[in-house]
PDB file of all heavy atoms in Angstrom:
ATOM      1  N   ALA A 553      19.368 -73.142  94.161  1.00 88.00           N
ATOM      2  CA  ALA A 553      19.028 -71.878  94.689  1.00 88.00           C
ATOM      3  C   ALA A 553      20.055 -70.752  94.227  1.00 88.00           C
ATOM      4  O   ALA A 553      19.983 -69.673  94.646  1.00 88.00           O
ATOM      5  CB  ALA A 553      18.866 -71.769  96.177  1.00 88.00           C
ATOM      6  N   GLN A 554      20.960 -71.212  93.286  1.00 92.00           N
ATOM      7  CA  GLN A 554      21.943 -70.274  92.774  1.00 92.00           C
ATOM      8  C   GLN A 554      22.498 -70.752  91.448  1.00 92.00           C
ATOM      9  O   GLN A 554      22.337 -71.930  91.149  1.00 92.00           O
ATOM     10  CB  GLN A 554      23.073 -70.089  93.858  1.00 92.00           C
ATOM     11  CG  GLN A 554      23.808 -71.403  94.102  1.00 92.00           C
ATOM     12  CD  GLN A 554      24.837 -71.270  95.235  1.00 92.00           C
ATOM     13  OE1 GLN A 554      24.919 -70.242  95.831  1.00 92.00           O
ATOM     14  NE2 GLN A 554      25.649 -72.301  95.474  1.00 92.00           N
ATOM     15  N   PRO A 555      23.155 -69.831  90.688  1.00 95.00           N
ATOM     16  CA  PRO A 555      23.712 -70.315  89.382  1.00 95.00           C
ATOM     17  C   PRO A 555      24.758 -71.347  89.472  1.00 95.00           C
ATOM     18  O   PRO A 555      25.464 -71.399  90.657  1.00 95.00           O
ATOM     19  CB  PRO A 555      24.179 -69.053  88.770  1.00 95.00           C
ATOM     20  CG  PRO A 555      23.472 -68.010  89.459  1.00 95.00           C
ATOM     21  CD  PRO A 555      23.307 -68.477  90.878  1.00 95.00           C
ATOM     22  N   VAL A 556      25.048 -72.192  88.564  1.00 95.00           N
ATOM     23  CA  VAL A 556      26.062 -73.147  88.574  1.00 95.00           C
ATOM     24  C   VAL A 556      26.772 -73.236  87.175  1.00 95.00           C
ATOM     25  O   VAL A 556      26.206 -72.857  86.223  1.00 95.00           O
ATOM     26  CB  VAL A 556      25.560 -74.599  88.924  1.00 95.00           C
ATOM     27  CG1 VAL A 556      24.969 -74.601  90.301  1.00 95.00           C
ATOM     28  CG2 VAL A 556      24.508 -75.014  87.840  1.00 95.00           C
ATOM     29  N   ARG A 557      28.032 -73.773  87.270  1.00 95.00           N
ATOM     30  CA  ARG A 557      28.724 -74.130  86.052  1.00 95.00           C
ATOM     31  C   ARG A 557      28.130 -75.409  85.445  1.00 95.00           C
ATOM     32  O   ARG A 557      27.925 -76.339  86.178  1.00 95.00           O
ATOM     33  CB  ARG A 557      30.233 -74.167  86.338  1.00 95.00           C
ATOM     34  CG  ARG A 557      30.896 -73.016  86.635  1.00 95.00           C
ATOM     35  CD  ARG A 557      32.397 -73.155  86.787  1.00 95.00           C
ATOM     36  NE  ARG A 557      33.147 -73.597  85.637  1.00 95.00           N
ATOM     37  CZ  ARG A 557      34.355 -73.360  85.322  1.00 95.00           C
ATOM     38  NH1 ARG A 557      35.098 -72.686  86.088  1.00 95.00           N
ATOM     39  NH2 ARG A 557      34.855 -73.726  84.116  1.00 95.00           N
ATOM     40  N   LEU A 558      27.954 -75.327  84.116  1.00 95.00           N
ATOM     41  CA  LEU A 558      27.401 -76.531  83.530  1.00 95.00           C
ATOM     42  C   LEU A 558      28.457 -77.539  82.999  1.00 95.00           C
ATOM     43  O   LEU A 558      29.526 -77.090  82.501  1.00 95.00           O
ATOM     44  CB  LEU A 558      26.565 -76.158  82.304  1.00 95.00           C
ATOM     45  CG  LEU A 558      25.131 -75.658  82.576  1.00 95.00           C
ATOM     46  CD1 LEU A 558      24.623 -74.861  81.477  1.00 95.00           C
ATOM     47  CD2 LEU A 558      24.221 -76.719  83.032  1.00 95.00           C
ATOM     48  N   ASP A 559      28.169 -78.784  83.184  1.00 91.00           N
ATOM     49  CA  ASP A 559      29.098 -79.854  82.568  1.00 91.00           C
ATOM     50  C   ASP A 559      28.079 -80.907  81.896  1.00 91.00           C
ATOM     51  O   ASP A 559      26.888 -80.696  81.976  1.00 91.00           O
ATOM     52  CB  ASP A 559      29.996 -80.488  83.600  1.00 91.00           C
ATOM     53  CG  ASP A 559      29.258 -81.107  84.759  1.00 91.00           C
ATOM     54  OD1 ASP A 559      28.034 -81.496  84.543  1.00 91.00           O
ATOM     55  OD2 ASP A 559      29.916 -81.202  85.819  1.00 91.00           O
ATOM     56  N   ALA A 560      28.646 -81.835  81.255  1.00 89.00           N
ATOM     57  CA  ALA A 560      27.880 -82.813  80.533  1.00 89.00           C
ATOM     58  C   ALA A 560      26.896 -83.554  81.343  1.00 89.00           C
ATOM     59  O   ALA A 560      25.730 -83.816  81.032  1.00 89.00           O
ATOM     60  CB  ALA A 560      28.821 -83.880  79.830  1.00 89.00           C
ATOM     61  N   ALA A 561      27.358 -83.935  82.596  1.00 91.00           N
ATOM     62  CA  ALA A 561      26.476 -84.747  83.510  1.00 91.00           C
ATOM     63  C   ALA A 561      25.266 -83.891  83.915  1.00 91.00           C
ATOM     64  O   ALA A 561      24.202 -84.395  84.056  1.00 91.00           O
ATOM     65  CB  ALA A 561      27.251 -85.206  84.715  1.00 91.00           C
ATOM     66  N   LEU A 562      25.502 -82.704  84.269  1.00 93.00           N
ATOM     67  CA  LEU A 562      24.459 -81.740  84.818  1.00 93.00           C
ATOM     68  C   LEU A 562      23.470 -81.350  83.704  1.00 93.00           C
ATOM     69  O   LEU A 562      22.299 -81.430  83.845  1.00 93.00           O
ATOM     70  CB  LEU A 562      25.142 -80.510  85.351  1.00 93.00           C
ATOM     71  CG  LEU A 562      24.133 -79.465  86.077  1.00 93.00           C
ATOM     72  CD1 LEU A 562      23.345 -80.214  87.199  1.00 93.00           C
ATOM     73  CD2 LEU A 562      24.880 -78.382  86.744  1.00 93.00           C
ATOM     74  N   LEU A 563      24.046 -81.181  82.528  1.00 92.00           N
ATOM     75  CA  LEU A 563      23.138 -80.933  81.365  1.00 92.00           C
ATOM     76  C   LEU A 563      22.243 -82.021  81.082  1.00 92.00           C
ATOM     77  O   LEU A 563      21.057 -81.928  80.746  1.00 92.00           O
ATOM     78  CB  LEU A 563      24.100 -80.664  80.101  1.00 92.00           C
ATOM     79  CG  LEU A 563      23.386 -80.160  78.892  1.00 92.00           C
ATOM     80  CD1 LEU A 563      22.698 -78.833  79.155  1.00 92.00           C
ATOM     81  CD2 LEU A 563      24.400 -79.969  77.642  1.00 92.00           C
ATOM     82  N   HIS A 564      22.753 -83.374  81.163  1.00 90.00           N
ATOM     83  CA  HIS A 564      21.932 -84.433  81.015  1.00 90.00           C
ATOM     84  C   HIS A 564      20.829 -84.536  82.017  1.00 90.00           C
ATOM     85  O   HIS A 564      19.709 -84.843  81.713  1.00 90.00           O
ATOM     86  CB  HIS A 564      22.834 -85.736  81.019  1.00 90.00           C
ATOM     87  CG  HIS A 564      22.029 -86.979  80.872  1.00 90.00           C
ATOM     88  ND1 HIS A 564      21.513 -87.471  79.710  1.00 90.00           N
ATOM     89  CD2 HIS A 564      21.787 -87.925  81.867  1.00 90.00           C
ATOM     90  CE1 HIS A 564      20.805 -88.623  79.964  1.00 90.00           C
ATOM     91  NE2 HIS A 564      20.936 -88.853  81.241  1.00 90.00           N
ATOM     92  N   ALA A 565      21.255 -84.397  83.187  1.00 90.00           N
ATOM     93  CA  ALA A 565      20.292 -84.400  84.404  1.00 90.00           C
ATOM     94  C   ALA A 565      19.131 -83.327  84.245  1.00 90.00           C
ATOM     95  O   ALA A 565      18.001 -83.709  84.545  1.00 90.00           O
ATOM     96  CB  ALA A 565      20.980 -84.287  85.778  1.00 90.00           C
ATOM     97  N   LEU A 566      19.498 -82.111  83.763  1.00 94.00           N
ATOM     98  CA  LEU A 566      18.518 -81.086  83.751  1.00 94.00           C
ATOM     99  C   LEU A 566      17.452 -81.417  82.582  1.00 94.00           C
ATOM    100  O   LEU A 566      16.302 -80.882  82.622  1.00 94.00           O
ATOM    101  CB  LEU A 566      19.178 -79.798  83.354  1.00 94.00           C
ATOM    102  CG  LEU A 566      19.974 -79.078  84.584  1.00 94.00           C
ATOM    103  CD1 LEU A 566      20.743 -77.928  84.066  1.00 94.00           C
ATOM    104  CD2 LEU A 566      19.048 -78.835  85.759  1.00 94.00           C
ATOM    105  N   ALA A 567      17.799 -82.252  81.678  1.00 93.00           N
ATOM    106  CA  ALA A 567      16.863 -82.673  80.610  1.00 93.00           C
ATOM    107  C   ALA A 567      15.696 -83.413  81.208  1.00 93.00           C
ATOM    108  O   ALA A 567      14.558 -83.473  80.583  1.00 93.00           O
ATOM    109  CB  ALA A 567      17.549 -83.473  79.620  1.00 93.00           C
ATOM    110  N   ALA A 568      15.867 -84.002  82.415  1.00 92.00           N
ATOM    111  CA  ALA A 568      14.712 -84.680  82.969  1.00 92.00           C
ATOM    112  C   ALA A 568      13.547 -83.695  83.428  1.00 92.00           C
ATOM    113  O   ALA A 568      12.475 -84.230  83.588  1.00 92.00           O
ATOM    114  CB  ALA A 568      15.294 -85.427  84.351  1.00 92.00           C
ATOM    115  N   PHE A 569      13.893 -82.425  83.480  1.00 92.00           N
ATOM    116  CA  PHE A 569      12.802 -81.515  83.830  1.00 92.00           C
ATOM    117  C   PHE A 569      12.077 -80.980  82.600  1.00 92.00           C
ATOM    118  O   PHE A 569      11.170 -80.142  82.742  1.00 92.00           O
ATOM    119  CB  PHE A 569      13.387 -80.400  84.679  1.00 92.00           C
ATOM    120  CG  PHE A 569      14.007 -80.713  86.030  1.00 92.00           C
ATOM    121  CD1 PHE A 569      15.299 -80.495  86.214  1.00 92.00           C
ATOM    122  CD2 PHE A 569      13.095 -81.294  86.946  1.00 92.00           C
ATOM    123  CE1 PHE A 569      15.757 -80.921  87.499  1.00 92.00           C
ATOM    124  CE2 PHE A 569      13.635 -81.577  88.117  1.00 92.00           C
ATOM    125  CZ  PHE A 569      14.973 -81.439  88.512  1.00 92.00           C
ATOM    126  N   SER A 570      12.451 -81.403  81.469  1.00 91.00           N
ATOM    127  CA  SER A 570      11.809 -80.867  80.202  1.00 91.00           C
ATOM    128  C   SER A 570      10.243 -81.183  80.285  1.00 91.00           C
ATOM    129  O   SER A 570       9.557 -80.221  79.772  1.00 91.00           O
ATOM    130  CB  SER A 570      12.372 -81.535  79.015  1.00 91.00           C
ATOM    131  OG  SER A 570      13.742 -81.141  78.786  1.00 91.00           O
ATOM    132  N   PRO A 571       9.804 -82.312  80.707  1.00 89.00           N
ATOM    133  CA  PRO A 571       8.308 -82.344  80.712  1.00 89.00           C
ATOM    134  C   PRO A 571       7.566 -81.464  81.610  1.00 89.00           C
ATOM    135  O   PRO A 571       6.416 -81.109  81.468  1.00 89.00           O
ATOM    136  CB  PRO A 571       8.075 -83.766  81.267  1.00 89.00           C
ATOM    137  CG  PRO A 571       9.354 -84.555  80.964  1.00 89.00           C
ATOM    138  CD  PRO A 571      10.482 -83.486  81.114  1.00 89.00           C
ATOM    139  N   LEU A 572       8.265 -80.733  82.562  1.00 88.00           N
ATOM    140  CA  LEU A 572       7.780 -79.735  83.416  1.00 88.00           C
ATOM    141  C   LEU A 572       7.769 -78.323  82.810  1.00 88.00           C
ATOM    142  O   LEU A 572       7.035 -77.461  83.306  1.00 88.00           O
ATOM    143  CB  LEU A 572       8.435 -79.718  84.894  1.00 88.00           C
ATOM    144  CG  LEU A 572       8.591 -81.013  85.498  1.00 88.00           C
ATOM    145  CD1 LEU A 572       9.147 -80.818  86.889  1.00 88.00           C
ATOM    146  CD2 LEU A 572       7.257 -81.753  85.510  1.00 88.00           C
ATOM    147  N   ALA A 573       8.563 -78.146  81.765  1.00 89.00           N
ATOM    148  CA  ALA A 573       8.612 -76.783  81.058  1.00 89.00           C
ATOM    149  C   ALA A 573       8.945 -77.160  79.615  1.00 89.00           C
ATOM    150  O   ALA A 573       9.999 -76.712  79.075  1.00 89.00           O
ATOM    151  CB  ALA A 573       9.747 -76.009  81.680  1.00 89.00           C
ATOM    152  N   PRO A 574       7.877 -77.702  78.809  1.00 88.00           N
ATOM    153  CA  PRO A 574       8.142 -78.192  77.499  1.00 88.00           C
ATOM    154  C   PRO A 574       8.273 -77.101  76.493  1.00 88.00           C
ATOM    155  O   PRO A 574       8.972 -77.227  75.435  1.00 88.00           O
ATOM    156  CB  PRO A 574       7.011 -79.014  77.187  1.00 88.00           C
ATOM    157  CG  PRO A 574       5.877 -78.500  78.107  1.00 88.00           C
ATOM    158  CD  PRO A 574       6.608 -78.153  79.333  1.00 88.00           C
ATOM    159  N   LEU A 575       7.847 -75.815  76.823  1.00 80.00           N
ATOM    160  CA  LEU A 575       8.006 -74.706  75.799  1.00 80.00           C
ATOM    161  C   LEU A 575       9.385 -74.111  76.039  1.00 80.00           C
ATOM    162  O   LEU A 575       9.798 -73.263  75.220  1.00 80.00           O
ATOM    163  CB  LEU A 575       6.919 -73.688  76.114  1.00 80.00           C
ATOM    164  CG  LEU A 575       5.508 -74.132  75.738  1.00 80.00           C
ATOM    165  CD1 LEU A 575       4.552 -72.897  75.882  1.00 80.00           C
ATOM    166  CD2 LEU A 575       5.378 -74.687  74.427  1.00 80.00           C
ATOM    167  N   HIS A 576      10.042 -74.320  77.167  1.00 86.00           N
ATOM    168  CA  HIS A 576      11.295 -73.617  77.424  1.00 86.00           C
ATOM    169  C   HIS A 576      12.539 -74.499  77.666  1.00 86.00           C
ATOM    170  O   HIS A 576      13.546 -74.373  77.003  1.00 86.00           O
ATOM    171  CB  HIS A 576      11.130 -72.865  78.701  1.00 86.00           C
ATOM    172  CG  HIS A 576      10.114 -71.860  78.639  1.00 86.00           C
ATOM    173  ND1 HIS A 576       8.727 -72.146  78.922  1.00 86.00           N
ATOM    174  CD2 HIS A 576      10.063 -70.489  78.275  1.00 86.00           C
ATOM    175  CE1 HIS A 576       7.915 -71.068  78.757  1.00 86.00           C
ATOM    176  NE2 HIS A 576       8.775 -69.963  78.383  1.00 86.00           N
ATOM    177  N   GLN A 577      12.416 -75.497  78.477  1.00 92.00           N
ATOM    178  CA  GLN A 577      13.518 -76.384  79.009  1.00 92.00           C
ATOM    179  C   GLN A 577      14.391 -77.026  77.732  1.00 92.00           C
ATOM    180  O   GLN A 577      15.557 -76.792  77.670  1.00 92.00           O
ATOM    181  CB  GLN A 577      13.287 -77.417  79.955  1.00 92.00           C
ATOM    182  CG  GLN A 577      14.426 -78.021  80.687  1.00 92.00           C
ATOM    183  CD  GLN A 577      14.714 -77.273  81.988  1.00 92.00           C
ATOM    184  OE1 GLN A 577      14.334 -76.162  82.139  1.00 92.00           O
ATOM    185  NE2 GLN A 577      15.553 -77.923  82.811  1.00 92.00           N
ATOM    186  N   PRO A 578      13.659 -77.552  76.801  1.00 90.00           N
ATOM    187  CA  PRO A 578      14.299 -78.077  75.593  1.00 90.00           C
ATOM    188  C   PRO A 578      15.097 -77.074  74.778  1.00 90.00           C
ATOM    189  O   PRO A 578      16.295 -77.279  74.348  1.00 90.00           O
ATOM    190  CB  PRO A 578      13.273 -78.771  74.722  1.00 90.00           C
ATOM    191  CG  PRO A 578      12.187 -78.974  75.748  1.00 90.00           C
ATOM    192  CD  PRO A 578      12.261 -77.933  76.750  1.00 90.00           C
ATOM    193  N   HIS A 579      14.541 -75.815  74.727  1.00 86.00           N
ATOM    194  CA  HIS A 579      15.112 -74.825  73.999  1.00 86.00           C
ATOM    195  C   HIS A 579      16.347 -74.177  74.774  1.00 86.00           C
ATOM    196  O   HIS A 579      17.430 -73.960  74.161  1.00 86.00           O
ATOM    197  CB  HIS A 579      14.136 -73.642  73.696  1.00 86.00           C
ATOM    198  CG  HIS A 579      12.961 -74.132  72.961  1.00 86.00           C
ATOM    199  ND1 HIS A 579      13.090 -74.956  71.725  1.00 86.00           N
ATOM    200  CD2 HIS A 579      11.674 -73.833  73.115  1.00 86.00           C
ATOM    201  CE1 HIS A 579      11.792 -75.170  71.390  1.00 86.00           C
ATOM    202  NE2 HIS A 579      10.997 -74.507  72.170  1.00 86.00           N
ATOM    203  N   ASN A 580      16.149 -74.144  76.111  1.00 90.00           N
ATOM    204  CA  ASN A 580      17.272 -73.698  76.922  1.00 90.00           C
ATOM    205  C   ASN A 580      18.544 -74.576  76.742  1.00 90.00           C
ATOM    206  O   ASN A 580      19.672 -74.133  76.678  1.00 90.00           O
ATOM    207  CB  ASN A 580      16.902 -73.644  78.357  1.00 90.00           C
ATOM    208  CG  ASN A 580      15.623 -72.753  78.787  1.00 90.00           C
ATOM    209  OD1 ASN A 580      15.062 -73.092  79.771  1.00 90.00           O
ATOM    210  ND2 ASN A 580      15.405 -71.747  77.891  1.00 90.00           N
ATOM    211  N   LEU A 581      18.250 -75.913  76.845  1.00 91.00           N
ATOM    212  CA  LEU A 581      19.387 -76.909  76.828  1.00 91.00           C
ATOM    213  C   LEU A 581      20.010 -76.991  75.411  1.00 91.00           C
ATOM    214  O   LEU A 581      21.242 -77.141  75.287  1.00 91.00           O
ATOM    215  CB  LEU A 581      18.904 -78.115  77.315  1.00 91.00           C
ATOM    216  CG  LEU A 581      18.320 -78.162  78.709  1.00 91.00           C
ATOM    217  CD1 LEU A 581      17.991 -79.596  79.121  1.00 91.00           C
ATOM    218  CD2 LEU A 581      19.329 -77.564  79.681  1.00 91.00           C
ATOM    219  N   ALA A 582      19.132 -76.764  74.394  1.00 86.00           N
ATOM    220  CA  ALA A 582      19.649 -76.735  73.047  1.00 86.00           C
ATOM    221  C   ALA A 582      20.566 -75.462  72.880  1.00 86.00           C
ATOM    222  O   ALA A 582      21.605 -75.621  72.077  1.00 86.00           O
ATOM    223  CB  ALA A 582      18.453 -76.685  72.042  1.00 86.00           C
ATOM    224  N   GLY A 583      20.258 -74.371  73.550  1.00 85.00           N
ATOM    225  CA  GLY A 583      21.055 -73.251  73.506  1.00 85.00           C
ATOM    226  C   GLY A 583      22.408 -73.571  74.110  1.00 85.00           C
ATOM    227  O   GLY A 583      23.450 -73.074  73.627  1.00 85.00           O
ATOM    228  N   VAL A 584      22.412 -74.273  75.194  1.00 90.00           N
ATOM    229  CA  VAL A 584      23.694 -74.607  75.889  1.00 90.00           C
ATOM    230  C   VAL A 584      24.616 -75.448  74.959  1.00 90.00           C
ATOM    231  O   VAL A 584      25.827 -75.144  74.723  1.00 90.00           O
ATOM    232  CB  VAL A 584      23.340 -75.405  77.218  1.00 90.00           C
ATOM    233  CG1 VAL A 584      24.747 -75.926  77.776  1.00 90.00           C
ATOM    234  CG2 VAL A 584      22.622 -74.517  78.173  1.00 90.00           C
ATOM    235  N   ARG A 585      24.030 -76.444  74.379  1.00 87.00           N
ATOM    236  CA  ARG A 585      24.675 -77.331  73.464  1.00 87.00           C
ATOM    237  C   ARG A 585      25.287 -76.604  72.316  1.00 87.00           C
ATOM    238  O   ARG A 585      26.423 -76.804  71.830  1.00 87.00           O
ATOM    239  CB  ARG A 585      23.801 -78.545  73.031  1.00 87.00           C
ATOM    240  CG  ARG A 585      23.425 -79.343  74.116  1.00 87.00           C
ATOM    241  CD  ARG A 585      22.628 -80.653  73.594  1.00 87.00           C
ATOM    242  NE  ARG A 585      22.118 -81.393  74.765  1.00 87.00           N
ATOM    243  CZ  ARG A 585      20.869 -81.345  75.216  1.00 87.00           C
ATOM    244  NH1 ARG A 585      20.021 -80.462  74.584  1.00 87.00           N
ATOM    245  NH2 ARG A 585      20.418 -82.106  76.183  1.00 87.00           N
ATOM    246  N   ALA A 586      24.501 -75.716  71.702  1.00 83.00           N
ATOM    247  CA  ALA A 586      25.010 -74.921  70.492  1.00 83.00           C
ATOM    248  C   ALA A 586      26.078 -74.035  71.005  1.00 83.00           C
ATOM    249  O   ALA A 586      27.065 -73.846  70.236  1.00 83.00           O
ATOM    250  CB  ALA A 586      23.793 -74.106  69.967  1.00 83.00           C
ATOM    251  N   ALA A 587      25.905 -73.360  72.147  1.00 86.00           N
ATOM    252  CA  ALA A 587      27.065 -72.532  72.678  1.00 86.00           C
ATOM    253  C   ALA A 587      28.289 -73.257  72.949  1.00 86.00           C
ATOM    254  O   ALA A 587      29.381 -72.755  72.808  1.00 86.00           O
ATOM    255  CB  ALA A 587      26.566 -71.767  73.905  1.00 86.00           C
ATOM    256  N   GLN A 588      28.204 -74.544  73.493  1.00 88.00           N
ATOM    257  CA  GLN A 588      29.323 -75.266  73.706  1.00 88.00           C
ATOM    258  C   GLN A 588      30.092 -75.612  72.480  1.00 88.00           C
ATOM    259  O   GLN A 588      31.260 -75.565  72.469  1.00 88.00           O
ATOM    260  CB  GLN A 588      28.829 -76.692  74.390  1.00 88.00           C
ATOM    261  CG  GLN A 588      28.524 -76.435  75.886  1.00 88.00           C
ATOM    262  CD  GLN A 588      27.935 -77.861  76.469  1.00 88.00           C
ATOM    263  OE1 GLN A 588      27.285 -78.569  75.765  1.00 88.00           O
ATOM    264  NE2 GLN A 588      28.154 -77.952  77.707  1.00 88.00           N
ATOM    265  N   ALA A 589      29.306 -75.887  71.383  1.00 85.00           N
ATOM    266  CA  ALA A 589      29.917 -76.131  70.158  1.00 85.00           C
ATOM    267  C   ALA A 589      30.604 -74.859  69.446  1.00 85.00           C
ATOM    268  O   ALA A 589      31.651 -74.950  68.935  1.00 85.00           O
ATOM    269  CB  ALA A 589      28.963 -76.785  69.152  1.00 85.00           C
ATOM    270  N   ALA A 590      29.929 -73.760  69.737  1.00 82.00           N
ATOM    271  CA  ALA A 590      30.457 -72.496  69.121  1.00 82.00           C
ATOM    272  C   ALA A 590      31.650 -71.887  69.975  1.00 82.00           C
ATOM    273  O   ALA A 590      32.517 -71.358  69.339  1.00 82.00           O
ATOM    274  CB  ALA A 590      29.392 -71.516  69.001  1.00 82.00           C
ATOM    275  N   PHE A 591      31.599 -72.153  71.337  1.00 86.00           N
ATOM    276  CA  PHE A 591      32.624 -71.608  72.146  1.00 86.00           C
ATOM    277  C   PHE A 591      33.144 -72.611  73.117  1.00 86.00           C
ATOM    278  O   PHE A 591      32.855 -72.699  74.304  1.00 86.00           O
ATOM    279  CB  PHE A 591      32.061 -70.452  72.947  1.00 86.00           C
ATOM    280  CG  PHE A 591      31.308 -69.429  72.127  1.00 86.00           C
ATOM    281  CD1 PHE A 591      29.933 -69.226  72.111  1.00 86.00           C
ATOM    282  CD2 PHE A 591      32.061 -68.522  71.268  1.00 86.00           C
ATOM    283  CE1 PHE A 591      29.352 -68.316  71.332  1.00 86.00           C
ATOM    284  CE2 PHE A 591      31.402 -67.635  70.482  1.00 86.00           C
ATOM    285  CZ  PHE A 591      30.008 -67.467  70.534  1.00 86.00           C
ATOM    286  N   PRO A 592      33.879 -73.694  72.573  1.00 90.00           N
ATOM    287  CA  PRO A 592      34.264 -74.878  73.301  1.00 90.00           C
ATOM    288  C   PRO A 592      35.145 -74.439  74.669  1.00 90.00           C
ATOM    289  O   PRO A 592      35.133 -75.239  75.579  1.00 90.00           O
ATOM    290  CB  PRO A 592      35.001 -75.708  72.376  1.00 90.00           C
ATOM    291  CG  PRO A 592      35.391 -74.742  71.408  1.00 90.00           C
ATOM    292  CD  PRO A 592      34.430 -73.695  71.249  1.00 90.00           C
TER     293      PRO A 592
END
Side-chain angles (χ1 to χ4, degrees):
Q554 59 187 5
V556 296
R557 291 184 62 153
L558 282 164
D559 56 27
L562 186 55
L563 188 61
H564 176 75
L566 290 173
F569 295 119
S570 291
L572 308 187
L575 294 186
H576 301 85
Q577 195 89 346
H579 305 310
N580 301 156
L581 301 184
V584 175
R585 297 186 185 98
Q588 286 176 326
F591 311 107

